[in-house]
Amino acid sequence: MLKLFYPLFNCVKFRLILLICLLFTLAVPYTALAQKSFTISGNIKDAVTGEALIGASVRVNELPKAGAVSNGYGFYSLSIPHGEYSLIISYVGYTPVAQKITLTKDTVLNIALQPRNSLEEVVISSKTARNNANISSPQMGVEKLDMSQINNVPVLLGERDILKTITLLPGVEAAGEGNTGFYVRGGSSDQNLILLDEAIVYNASHLFGFFSTFNSDAIKDVSLYKGGMPAQYGGRLSSVLDVKMDEGNNKEYSTEGGIGLISSRIKFEGPIEKDKGSFMISARRTYIDALLKASSDSSIRGSTLYFYDLNAKANYHFDDKNAIYLSGYFGKDVLGLLNTFGTNWGNSTATLRFNHIFSSKLFSNTSLIYSNYNYTIQSYLTGNQFVAVSKIEDIDFKEDLQYFAGNGHTINFGIDALHHNLAPGSLTAPDSSSFNTRSIDRRYGLETAAYISDEWKVSSHLNLLYGLRLSSIAIFGPGTFNTYDADGNTVTSKTYGSGDVVKSYLYLEPRISASYSLDDQQSIKASYNRNTQNIHILSNSNSSTPTDLYAMSSNNIKPEIADQVSTGYFRNFSNNIFEFSAEVYYKWLQNQIDYKNGAELLLNPDVESQLVYGTGRAYGIEFFMKKKYGRFNGWIGYTLSRTERKFDAINNGDYFPATQDRTHDISAVGIFKLNNRWSFSGTFVYESGNAVTYPNGKYDIGGLTTYYYSERNGDREPSTNRLDLGATLEGKQHKKYHSSWTFGIYNVYNHRNPYAITFRDSKTNPGTTEAVITSLFGRVPSITWNFRF
């Protein structure tokens, strides 16, 4: 392993040293200026469960410019001059706490906030108690999702789903009807970085995309970055979906779960040692296979179709300065049709993290992460037996540090080393099979990065977030690497030994965002960021599928690059109960990858010869209005956008709409709490149709109709629209037991949205061609019983 790391370290170590020197050059003046101040630091937690609260606000009444936000582990640090102050600590959905303090030395102040009843009066006397971070924060294009809202949004078959919920946000589009795949600001589905407790999830879907891998019972926090990504994130062009699991209740043991029409789930949590450590285990499984066994249709009786997933997490706090976290996810889909074929695919992740507080100003998180995605396809047909497998396996080491320098500066810096082991595919077949055994060489790569960023409160009106990420990748042997010309012909072929560097790339990724507050209720923001990507999906489908082919940057495939600029206006109303934003963005894309017409991608050892490379652009405007508090809340979003690609070998080198190009996207979500027992919800979506390629001619070969295609994505599918409704009935309160019923109707007015469009010769009018539209879901009711004790 060390042999793999050394060549890349050798080529970037000088730059890393310069970056570290820059860090200390920045940090030393801030420390010197802050020496006359004292620091308040500590952890902010849920008073009932002991869970850390991420993004809680700490404000100082007497110093409007002073304030802090808790990090991903609930830690905060605030440096202010000595004196007497009134602190207000607040978090969405919790009762704010007012704390008086006399500051004469560095002080540790841990805070526990009480969850607020959803019908509780929400008027707060202090204007600073309501968090208006969306106005003052320089971060753009970020959405934080409240799990209580996610759990109330009606979805297909009653399965609460993070990925389906984020497609209801502006700038985010669903990959298809009922699909968990998503596009962000014109990017393809593989340009989204999906993290679960820092581990990369490559295929975040179950049952071919109808359900996501995220069991909402196990999830604590969800953040989506659409633009202006902080420097600690890298590796994808379009977005980061950062999902964090529950830590578990360190006060008492509890069990909760639910039984639905197609799946059931259960969750256990409790203290390892009260107030010091906790655990959480959550599991989910479908039972469609049980229904298939009872089917009267002999052609499917006995077939398998199910998925399961398991989330687990444990943590232990040795003292106020040291804590360890261990979390994992294991999920699998299994599909089989009697003795015909079988397939299974799944993800496994594991994350080991150690938190250490060096001082009241310096916080450290060290992570060792494992991720594995694989799939297997088997054919049992006599004469056509085979087994095809593919996988991508990662080992990642990260060191992230946060320095609260004082005087309005919070500095984040760290390093990341990610090793890829990619097996594109192999097929094994017996001698009696018509298939031949073949395999594509494994590919090995090492992505490394160093980053630094500073969030600087320049004045009471101006905030900056600026940083730099230095990223690189080195591709290693063993293996044979070909170089291809523009026509896909082999130019050179060279064999490399284990650990030999085949190709390396190095990029600087600057990031800067700024907000200027016009007053306490409105601001304007602007950002620029550059991202690079080295893991690519080669697929001619509209969204992620289990058999997607993953490829790494190589001697032929250059890293993809995206430069995005955006600006926006942000406004809050009625004591921050309502939020409004309008953002305009433009994105330039380099080294985009597509396939040639008629390309063979699956199990092709020369798959890179089938690819073409070009550029792209995406631009649009997003409007968002959200009500955060009260008995009725929700949001409405609208996106007007365009995304295009340009390849010399496609459409005569002219720009053409990308598959995910949709002009209009409208979504609305409403949640109404009638009383302590009944709540109602509804969602409405409207989307322009996908860009598609329809045949513009046909000819007959041996009695078979063959269609001719010319212009790529020159046509449009029909638009989609849908209304979903839901209701939740809470059971009567018991001292140790609680239950509820969730009812839903997906696609209330039974609109037949297009899932696929195919063409065939008309049976009633010979000589003509007719289009056949396939729709998956009409009106679908659902019911789920939930319990907790």
Side-chain angles (χ1 to χ4, degrees):
M1 180 63 72
L2 290 177
K3 185 178 179 182
L4 295 177
F5 278 75
Y6 177 76
L8 188 57
F9 172 77
N10 191 50
C11 74
V12 302
K13 63 181 180 180
F14 179 68
R15 294 173 176 83
L16 292 179
I17 292 171
L18 286 179
L19 196 59
I20 293 170
C21 290
L22 174 61
L23 165 67
F24 285 100
T25 302
L26 289 171
V28 169
Y30 300 157
T31 306
L33 288 170
Q35 285 176 351
K36 293 182 180 180
S37 298
F38 295 108
T39 301
I40 308 168
S41 63
N43 293 285
I44 304 176
K45 296 185 176 182
D46 184 307
V48 177
T49 66
E51 291 250 5
L53 297 180
I54 302 171
S57 171
V58 181
R59 299 184 181 277
V60 184
N61 262 346
E62 294 79 3
L63 302 173
K65 184 182 174 182
V69 175
S70 60
N71 66 11
Y73 298 90
F75 178 79
Y76 75 95
S77 177
L78 175 64
S79 295
I80 54 178
H82 67 87
E84 295 185 357
Y85 300 101
S86 296
L87 304 182
I88 295 179
I89 302 93
S90 62
Y91 187 72
V92 175
Y94 287 73
T95 302
V97 169
Q99 178 77 44
K100 289 189 176 295
I101 186 170
T102 300
L103 192 63
T104 58
K105 61 180 181 178
D106 288 350
T107 302
V108 175
L109 181 63
N110 296 319
I111 300 293
L113 298 181
Q114 287 283 349
R116 184 196 301 127
N117 184 291
S118 59
L119 291 180
E120 186 178 316
E121 175 61 48
V122 296
V123 176
I124 301 172
S125 59
S126 172
K127 291 183 179 179
T128 60
R130 284 199 184 281
N131 192 344
N132 67 342
N134 65 308
I135 298 297
S136 58
S137 171
Q139 185 69 60
M140 286 192 69
V142 62
E143 301 290 346
K144 293 187 71 69
L145 297 181
D146 186 339
M147 290 305 300
S148 63
Q149 286 186 322
I150 291 176
N151 292 338
N152 282 313
V153 172
V155 291
L156 179 65
L157 293 171
E159 287 293 309
R160 298 176 295 187
D161 203 307
I162 291 171
L163 297 188
K164 288 194 176 74
T165 302
I166 67 171
T167 63
L168 300 173
L169 298 170
V172 186
E173 300 169 342
E177 174 73 3
N179 203 299
T180 57
F182 61 99
Y183 309 129
V184 177
R185 290 188 172 179
S188 56
S189 58
D190 72 319
Q191 293 176 355
N192 304 312
L193 178 63
I194 302 176
L195 300 175
L196 179 61
D197 275 1
E198 299 188 56
I200 299 174
V201 179
Y202 282 98
N203 188 328
S205 66
H206 285 306
L207 293 184
F208 298 99
F210 297 128
F211 305 98
S212 81
T213 59
F214 299 117
N215 179 356
S216 62
D217 283 352
I219 302 306
K220 169 185 177 179
D221 184 79
V222 181
S223 297
L224 175 68
Y225 297 88
K226 301 181 293 184
M229 281 177 268
Q232 62 263 37
Y233 296 111
R236 298 295 186 276
L237 300 189
S238 292
S239 75
V240 177
L241 182 65
D242 193 353
V243 181
K244 293 181 172 61
M245 279 195 262
D246 272 339
E247 297 167 9
N249 191 322
N250 67 14
K251 306 288 186 181
E252 60 183 11
Y253 297 97
S254 66
T255 302
E256 64 180 270
I259 300 174
L261 293 178
I262 68 163
S263 72
S264 292
R265 64 188 197 281
I266 193 164
K267 172 185 175 182
F268 304 99
E269 61 180 339
I272 296 173
E273 181 179 342
K274 191 171 182 180
D275 295 328
K276 297 197 71 173
S278 60
F279 74 91
M280 182 279 299
I281 300 174
S282 181
R284 177 176 57 162
R285 192 192 192 279
T286 59
Y287 27 76
I288 302 174
D289 52 325
L291 301 177
L292 292 177
K293 290 179 181 178
S295 173
S296 59
D297 188 343
S298 60
S299 64
I300 63 172
R301 190 187 310 129
S303 298
T304 56
L305 176 60
Y306 67 90
F307 71 78
Y308 67 85
D309 45 41
L310 174 69
N311 295 77
K313 190 170 184 176
N315 69 88
Y316 190 81
H317 294 254
F318 300 100
D319 50 39
D320 288 340
K321 293 188 175 182
N322 297 281
I324 191 168
Y325 300 80
L326 177 63
S327 60
Y329 167 83
F330 312 92
K332 182 74 72 175
D333 282 71
V334 178
L335 171 64
L337 182 59
L338 295 177
N339 296 318
T340 305
F341 79 94
T343 179
N344 65 80
W345 65 92
N347 291 278
S348 300
T349 72
T351 305
L352 177 64
R353 291 180 285 188
F354 180 70
N355 286 175
H356 177 65
I357 301 174
F358 287 97
S359 69
S360 60
K361 293 187 176 184
L362 184 60
F363 181 92
S364 165
N365 177 64
T366 306
S367 303
L368 183 62
I369 307 160
Y370 172 80
S371 176
N372 181 299
Y373 171 71
N374 62 83
Y375 72 78
T376 301
I377 301 174
Q378 292 180 278
S379 171
Y380 307 114
L381 294 173
T382 303
N384 293 303
Q385 303 97 325
F386 69 82
V387 178
V389 298
S390 178
K391 78 168 187 176
I392 180 168
E393 185 178 48
D394 292 344
I395 298 176
D396 191 7
F397 172 79
K398 297 174 66 178
E399 177 62 44
D400 299 297
L401 297 106
Q402 193 170 28
Y403 182 63
F404 302 88
N407 295 294
H409 289 275
T410 301
I411 301 172
N412 292 277
F413 59 101
I415 58 173
D416 186 1
L418 172 61
H419 182 264
H420 298 292
N421 176 357
L422 197 158
S426 64
L427 186 145
T428 304
D431 294 338
S432 58
S433 175
S434 60
F435 293 93
N436 296 319
T437 296
R438 50 181 166 164
S439 178
I440 303 176
D441 285 349
R442 288 174 178 258
R443 293 294 185 240
Y444 303 91
L446 177 66
E447 289 191 77
T448 58
Y451 72 89
I452 181 172
S453 67
D454 178 19
E455 185 168 350
W456 178 20
K457 295 182 179 179
V458 181
S459 69
S460 58
H461 292 282
L462 179 61
N463 289 326
L464 295 177
L465 175 61
Y466 57 98
L468 185 65
R469 183 180 180 89
L470 177 68
S471 64
S472 64
I473 185 170
I475 299 91
F476 299 96
T480 299
F481 291 77
N482 297 332
T483 302
Y484 304 97
D485 61 21
D487 296 323
N489 301 311
T490 301
V491 177
T492 62
S493 182
K494 186 176 180 179
T495 301
Y496 292 83
S498 177
D500 292 343
V501 177
V502 179
K503 183 72 176 179
S504 64
Y505 299 93
L506 180 68
Y507 289 96
L508 286 174
E509 302 176 22
R511 318 275 175 88
I512 183 169
S513 302
S515 69
Y516 185 82
S517 300
L518 303 175
D519 53 40
D520 289 342
Q521 297 295 306
Q522 56 185 333
S523 67
I524 54 175
K525 300 184 185 184
S527 74
Y528 163 76
N529 64 284
R530 164 170 279 206
N531 290 298
T532 62
Q533 178 169 332
N534 291 296
I535 296 293
H536 323 278
I537 289 181
L538 310 180
S539 173
N540 53 15
S541 66
N542 290 345
S543 59
S544 295
T545 65
T547 57
D548 281 338
L549 175 64
Y550 290 88
M552 224 180 328
S553 295
S554 67
N555 53 320
N556 295 296
I557 303 175
K558 294 181 180 180
E560 297 178 74
I561 303 172
D563 294 275
Q564 182 178 174
V565 294
S566 59
T567 186
Y569 172 71
F570 297 77
R571 175 68 188 266
N572 286 1
F573 305 90
S574 304
N575 195 22
N576 298 333
I577 292 177
F578 293 91
E579 294 181 359
F580 170 79
S581 65
E583 295 186 50
V584 180
Y585 68 89
Y586 195 101
K587 189 188 300 184
W588 295 266
L589 300 164
Q590 301 177 48
N591 303 332
Q592 296 300 282
I593 304 170
D594 209 328
Y595 56 92
K596 297 178 180 178
N597 293 327
E600 290 290 337
L601 303 182
L602 192 61
L603 286 173
N604 183 351
D606 293 313
V607 67
E608 293 183 12
S609 69
Q610 304 293 295
L611 306 179
V612 294
Y613 309 95
T615 60
R617 60 190 181 192
Y619 48 93
I621 183 168
E622 302 166 0
F623 297 96
F624 190 47
M625 185 73 176
K626 181 178 183 180
K627 185 175 185 291
K628 299 195 297 181
Y629 305 100
R631 297 173 64 178
F632 177 79
N633 56 72
W635 66 85
I636 183 169
Y638 169 66
T639 305
L640 175 66
S641 63
R642 192 71 191 268
T643 177
E644 299 170 311
R645 299 293 185 265
K646 183 178 181 180
F647 297 86
D648 291 340
I650 301 174
N651 281 14
N652 300 315
D654 296 328
Y655 274 108
F656 62 91
T659 301
Q660 62 271 23
D661 176 61
R662 294 175 188 163
T663 308
H664 303 285
D665 188 295
I666 302 172
S667 59
V669 177
I671 301 169
F672 177 65
K673 187 79 172 178
L674 178 64
N675 51 41
N676 283 324
R677 298 196 63 188
W678 278 103
S679 61
F680 300 91
S681 59
T683 64
F684 173 78
V685 296
Y686 171 87
E687 296 174 341
S688 299
N690 283 340
V692 292
T693 305
Y694 289 159
N696 57 1
K698 64 179 182 179
Y699 48 91
D700 183 88
I701 299 180
L704 296 176
T705 299
T706 302
Y707 295 100
Y708 173 74
Y709 301 84
S710 58
E711 184 179 2
R712 180 78 64 92
N713 291 347
D715 299 282
R716 291 279 172 181
E717 291 182 344
S719 61
T720 64
N721 61 88
R722 190 185 73 249
L723 174 67
D724 307 328
L725 296 177
T728 299
L729 172 63
E730 300 289 345
K732 293 182 179 180
Q733 291 291 337
H734 298 276
K735 187 175 181 180
K736 294 185 177 181
Y737 171 81
H738 181 72
S739 68
S740 65
W741 290 90
T742 301
F743 309 93
I745 302 178
Y746 180 89
N747 197 4
V748 172
Y749 51 80
N750 202 33
H751 184 68
R752 310 303 292 186
N753 290 305
Y755 179 78
I757 298 178
T758 57
F759 294 86
R760 67 186 182 191
D761 292 333
S762 175
K763 296 179 179 179
T764 58
N765 191 4
T768 62
T769 302
E770 60 183 11
V772 180
I773 299 178
T774 301
S775 298
L776 289 183
F777 304 108
R779 186 183 300 111
V780 182
S782 64
I783 182 171
T784 303
W785 177 60
N786 307 291
F787 59 86
R788 183 176 67 251
F789 56 87

